[in-house]
């Protein structure tokens, strides 16, 4: 059962939930469309596919930036008792929920009228004039370890010829280009026009997440889970 009103907007039924950690080509086109010059975004991704990117908000999407614990509750409420979510990412210990343009302006005003708003932690609402850092298109993979028991018998390593730069350290990469294992997609964009929750949907989720945190995780009768939430 879900207490999400049946007449309210929800993620299309055909958009089956999955926890893909990588962005599809169509999803990359959608993300890049937020920039005035999408071609330059694609060029940066081609040059540094394992680096996070900075994209402007307000035209294609807004982003609601929540503390990790509360953000997890938000995503859980959206998927277990609500309409689902749009793309969701984690970056530097925060949860980023992608929402309809205009949500960043309207959500704080709506929360101000709610009884439970005092239990909602401060949210960073990124809209027109703001920019957010999004995870790489593909998750960072650590270097493959060597054989656990040394070199297999009969396959002695061939000594490499001396090179003048063999001991030269690899040049440092800028901090913005370094792979960040903590920056990843929880619900990656996978279509050209993904469904995005609006301010009313996120208000609903915020109040139920705050109520759940305040009551120590007790489930109200109407919030009995009806679908699986992403593994966070």
């Amino acid at each position: 059962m879900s207490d999400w009103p049946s007449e309210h907007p929800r993620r299309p039924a055909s958009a089956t939930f999955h926890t893909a950690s990588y962005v599809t080509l169509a999803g990359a086109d959608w993300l890049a469309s937020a920039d005035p010059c999408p071609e330059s975004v694609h060029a940066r991704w081609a040059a540094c596919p394992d680096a996070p990117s900075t994209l402007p908000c307000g035209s294609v999407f807004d982003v609601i930036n929540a503390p990790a614990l509360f953000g997890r509750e938000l995503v859980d409420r959206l998927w277990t008792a609500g309409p689902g979510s749009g793309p969701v990412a984690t970056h530097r210990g925060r949860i980023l929920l992608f929402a309809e343009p205009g949500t960043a302006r309207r959500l704080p005003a709506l929360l101000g009228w709610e009884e439970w708003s005092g239990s909602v932690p401060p949210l960073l609402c990124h809209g027109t004039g703001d920019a957010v850092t999004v995870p790489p298109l593909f998750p960072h993979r650590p270097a493959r370890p060597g054989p656990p028991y040394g070199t297999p018998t009969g396959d002695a390593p061939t000594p490499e010829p001396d090179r003048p730069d063999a001991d030269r350290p690899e040049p440092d990469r800028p901090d913005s280009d370094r792979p960040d294992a903590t920056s990843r997609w929880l619900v990656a964009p996978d279509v050209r026009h993904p469904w995005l929750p609006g301010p009313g949907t996120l208000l609903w989720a915020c109040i139920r997440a705050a109520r759940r945190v305040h009551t120590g995780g007790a489930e109200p009768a109407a919030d009995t889970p009806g679908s699986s939430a992403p593994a966070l």
Side-chain angles (χ1 to χ4, degrees):
M1 283 291 293
S2 166
D3 65 342
W4 179 252
S6 59
E7 69 274 11
H8 285 201
R10 64 174 61 237
R11 186 182 175 104
S14 59
T16 304
F17 172 72
H18 61 87
T19 54
S21 58
Y22 63 90
V23 180
T24 64
L25 291 176
D29 285 340
W30 174 73
L31 286 172
S33 70
D35 192 276
C37 187
E39 294 80 6
S40 66
V41 178
H42 282 292
R44 290 199 304 268
W45 286 335
C48 296
D50 60 350
S53 305
T54 301
L55 296 175
C57 302
S59 60
V60 174
F61 53 75
D62 282 0
V63 171
I64 304 303
N65 185 330
L69 293 178
F70 188 78
R72 291 174 181 177
E73 286 291 343
L74 270 179
V75 177
D76 182 69
R77 291 299 86 204
L78 286 168
W79 279 102
T80 59
S85 75
V88 180
T90 176
H91 182 69
R92 293 187 177 179
R94 308 278 297 186
I95 300 295
L96 310 180
L97 294 98
F98 287 68
E100 289 180 355
T103 300
R105 176 178 55 85
R106 296 180 58 196
L107 180 60
L110 292 174
L111 278 171
W113 289 92
E114 291 292 335
E115 176 185 358
W116 285 90
S117 61
S119 299
V120 177
L123 303 175
L124 303 179
C125 299
H126 306 293
T128 303
D130 299 327
V132 294
T133 300
V134 300
L137 301 185
F138 298 93
H140 171 63
R141 292 180 174 85
R144 182 180 298 178
Y149 302 108
T151 306
T153 304
D155 293 334
T158 302
E160 295 185 3
D162 292 337
R163 294 179 301 168
D165 62 344
D167 297 329
R168 184 180 302 168
E170 183 180 352
D172 290 338
R173 298 172 62 177
D175 289 341
S176 59
D177 291 342
R178 292 181 183 276
D180 184 357
T182 66
S183 181
R184 62 188 178 92
W185 291 100
L186 302 177
V187 182
D190 58 352
V191 294
R192 184 61 178 80
H193 299 286
W195 181 83
L196 299 174
T201 301
L202 290 176
L203 172 67
W204 175 91
C206 282
I207 296 306
R208 276 150 186 79
R211 186 175 64 185
R212 180 177 166 85
V213 171
H214 184 77
T215 58
E219 285 279 358
D223 278 358
T224 303
S227 61
S228 58
L232 303 178

